[in-house]
Amino acid sequence: MPAQQPAVSVIMPVLNEERHLRDSVRHILGQEYAGEMEVVIALGPSTDRTDEIAAELVTEDPRVHTVPNPTGRTPAALNAAIEASRHPIVVRVDGHGMLSPNYIATAVRLLEETGAQNVGGIMHAEGENAWEDAVAAAMTSRIGVGNAAFHTGGEAGPAETVYLGVFRREALEQQGGYNVEFIRAQDWELNFRIREAGGLIWFSPELKVQYRPRPSVRALAKQYKDYGRWRHVVARYHPGSINLRYLAPPAAVCAIAAGAVVGALVTPWAFAVPAGYLAAITAGSVPAGKGLSLKARAQIPVALATMHMCWGFGFLTSPRSLAAKVIASRRPSVRRDASEV
């Protein structure tokens, strides 16, 4: 371990995060890290007490600063926070994410060991009530999210993208930051440009961030509808990025809808399709709910169905016009000039 650790800037895009903001910042300021640190919170137009809590945090600790983000959009918030920050290592954290105690120290070490431009780890979902426990179980189950390493874990190694990320500032500046047209999937798009420019994105299970799931079925449904909508944008933006894991939810939506219609109009045997799906997620929820309360276990199938159906619906209904707008804003990856190396 070097005698002096590099200084880090932690950037946080927040909007309506009164429930978790203070706890999230506490997990940052309490890091087991010897280097200098600052926290830059980009404030969207919240309708709860987020701004008030942020102002309190600024007065309580000189390392905390805020910048405005009038659009409320995540990529614009991230760019504003990056511009207002000043240190060579940039750590992205969300307002409902809780860093493990040695997260920053481990990430800095991995940047040095691997030579990566960005490192990230596991999105470790943890609930605070029965519903959130059910969502967390669904999000960390293979039946819920497939084989995504940042949800379910896996071996360390190169990756297409990672959860949140700890960047070398030079990589962010080289690529001009986040593309503001990507309301969702902005991490994937930025990491794509970094990789295209020859940079390494590194996943490690050593890095863990506690994630607080959405607090209601409605909020979860909107989240996963948006995920599906923007994953189709990504697929149109970069056709080679799609795989069977992403096609499973829209295929399930089509199959279930067809089964229900045919079952109602032609033959009741077609109801076997939606019935089979319900049986599958019910069976899959049993191992996922191990150790949880009975109330939480009973809600896992609801969480799974919400995630699958809303993701698939969002994917199927994602308009071509949205993808066209995003593609028109495409930023070419920028390689470092050889004279700068």
Side-chain angles (χ1 to χ4, degrees):
M1 181 80 61
Q4 185 171 359
Q5 295 291 286
V8 300
S9 297
V10 182
I11 59 172
M12 298 183 68
V14 298
L15 179 69
N16 294 326
E17 291 286 2
E18 69 171 357
R19 185 178 173 195
H20 299 301
L21 179 58
R22 178 172 288 280
D23 202 21
S24 182
V25 172
R26 179 178 62 81
H27 278 77
I28 297 168
L29 298 177
Q31 285 288 295
E32 297 170 359
Y33 187 70
E36 184 181 350
M37 183 190 305
E38 66 174 352
V39 181
V40 181
I41 304 172
L43 296 171
S46 296
T47 55
D48 61 8
R49 295 183 59 253
T50 296
D51 287 9
E52 180 182 337
I53 294 169
E56 293 171 356
L57 291 167
V58 170
T59 60
E60 292 166 7
D61 196 302
R63 294 173 291 178
V64 181
H65 314 280
T66 61
V67 293
N69 173 37
T71 70
R73 294 181 171 183
T74 300
L78 291 165
N79 285 344
I82 291 168
E83 185 176 356
S85 65
R86 55 197 174 91
H87 295 318
I89 305 297
V90 179
V91 181
R92 176 183 171 175
V93 182
D94 286 341
H96 46 269
M98 314 295 161
L99 300 185
S100 52
N102 62 347
Y103 180 88
I104 292 178
T106 302
V108 170
R109 173 176 59 80
L110 289 171
L111 285 173
E112 179 65 27
E113 290 178 355
T114 65
Q117 300 298 302
N118 181 22
V119 299
I122 295 175
M123 178 184 181
H124 184 65
E126 288 188 357
E128 296 182 323
N129 54 47
W131 165 250
E132 291 180 4
D133 284 342
V135 176
M139 292 181 70
T140 54
S141 166
R142 290 190 182 276
I143 193 174
V145 297
N147 61 350
F150 69 83
H151 280 297
T152 60
E155 295 184 1
E160 284 190 357
T161 191
V162 291
Y163 179 54
L164 300 180
V166 177
F167 299 83
R168 299 179 189 271
R169 175 178 292 277
E170 61 192 27
L172 295 172
E173 293 180 344
Q174 182 179 332
Q175 299 304 328
Y178 291 84
N179 184 333
V180 296
E181 295 296 338
F182 274 81
I183 308 306
R184 296 277 188 178
Q186 66 275 158
D187 298 300
W188 179 92
E189 193 277 337
L190 174 59
N191 286 320
F192 172 75
R193 281 185 283 132
I194 292 174
R195 288 187 293 107
E196 197 173 46
L200 174 65
I201 310 299
W202 188 264
F203 166 82
S204 173
E206 291 184 77
L207 298 171
K208 184 180 290 187
V209 181
Q210 291 180 4
Y211 169 86
R212 298 293 186 241
R214 295 298 192 270
S216 67
V217 174
R218 182 177 180 179
L220 183 69
K222 182 181 185 306
Q223 178 187 21
Y224 272 79
K225 178 190 171 189
D226 287 346
Y227 282 168
R229 176 186 177 98
W230 281 92
R231 183 61 224 187
H232 205 163
V233 171
V234 167
R236 287 166 170 158
Y237 181 91
H238 181 50
S241 69
I242 202 67
N243 59 41
L244 291 178
R245 174 163 65 91
Y246 297 122
L247 295 177
V253 170
C254 292
I256 291 169
V261 171
V262 174
L265 300 179
V266 181
T267 171
W269 287 104
F271 285 120
V273 176
Y277 171 76
L278 290 175
I281 62 172
T282 300
S285 70
V286 174
K290 185 177 181 181
L292 297 182
S293 68
L294 180 61
K295 184 177 181 181
R297 293 200 302 271
Q299 295 182 86
I300 294 175
V302 178
L304 287 169
T306 302
M307 292 162 58
H308 294 161
M309 295 299 101
C310 293
W311 200 104
F313 179 78
F315 188 94
L316 291 168
T317 59
S318 182
R320 287 187 175 274
S321 58
L322 177 60
K325 180 181 179 183
V326 169
I327 291 169
S329 73
R330 185 190 296 269
R331 296 181 179 183
S333 60
V334 180
R335 292 182 177 271
R336 179 182 294 183
D337 190 289
S339 63
E340 298 178 18
V341 179

